Amino acid sequence: MSDTGRRVSLDELQSAFESELETDIRVAAETAYALAFRYRNEDVGGRRRFDLAKVWAVRAIEILDSLPSDHVEHVVSTRASVGGIPLPELLHAGLVRQRLADVLV
């Protein structure tokens, strides 16, 4: 999913994630990270969805843990943002654990 920073629906992000799993696993991890933030930060159905945020944070961590991370070029984000969520320049499992610690408990 190419992202110009525009806010897309959660359904669109989830569909993109499914497609990305088949084409670029690192990009899929970035989308899972964005989904975790969106569910944590936005009201969905009248409430914030920490349960779904945790599911997506865990998916991102699992994917990132499975990828090489020995060199900086292994953890550089491929995009500046996904679905309106800014991505860190370096995205790795440890950073996801740190930034989404509140939903991972």
Side-chain angles (χ1 to χ4, degrees):
M1 162 182 252
S2 168
D3 195 328
T4 59
R6 90 177 168 91
R7 184 78 95 188
V8 298
S9 75
L10 292 166
D11 288 339
E12 288 176 281
L13 279 179
Q14 289 178 33
S15 292
F17 173 82
E18 294 301 327
S19 296
E20 294 160 358
L21 280 176
E22 303 297 322
T23 59
D24 190 332
I25 195 77
R26 173 132 191 100
V27 170
E30 293 172 356
T31 300
Y33 173 83
L35 277 159
F37 265 90
R38 293 274 303 268
Y39 276 113
R40 184 187 81 180
N41 294 344
E42 295 177 16
D43 284 338
V44 178
R47 65 187 173 110
R48 292 188 180 169
R49 295 298 309 264
F50 279 63
D51 55 338
L52 291 174
K54 180 177 183 175
V55 168
W56 287 105
V58 168
R59 297 281 307 262
I61 290 167
E62 289 172 348
I63 293 169
L64 292 167
D65 275 342
S66 75
L67 296 172
S69 61
D70 298 334
H71 302 285
V72 170
E73 57 269 11
H74 292 154
V75 297
V76 173
S77 294
T78 65
R79 303 169 281 183
S81 68
V82 175
I85 300 296
L87 293 179
E89 186 176 335
L90 304 176
L91 182 62
H92 53 83
L95 182 129
V96 176
R97 286 182 183 97
Q98 177 187 22
R99 291 198 176 172
L100 291 164
D102 58 337
V103 301
L104 290 169
V105 292

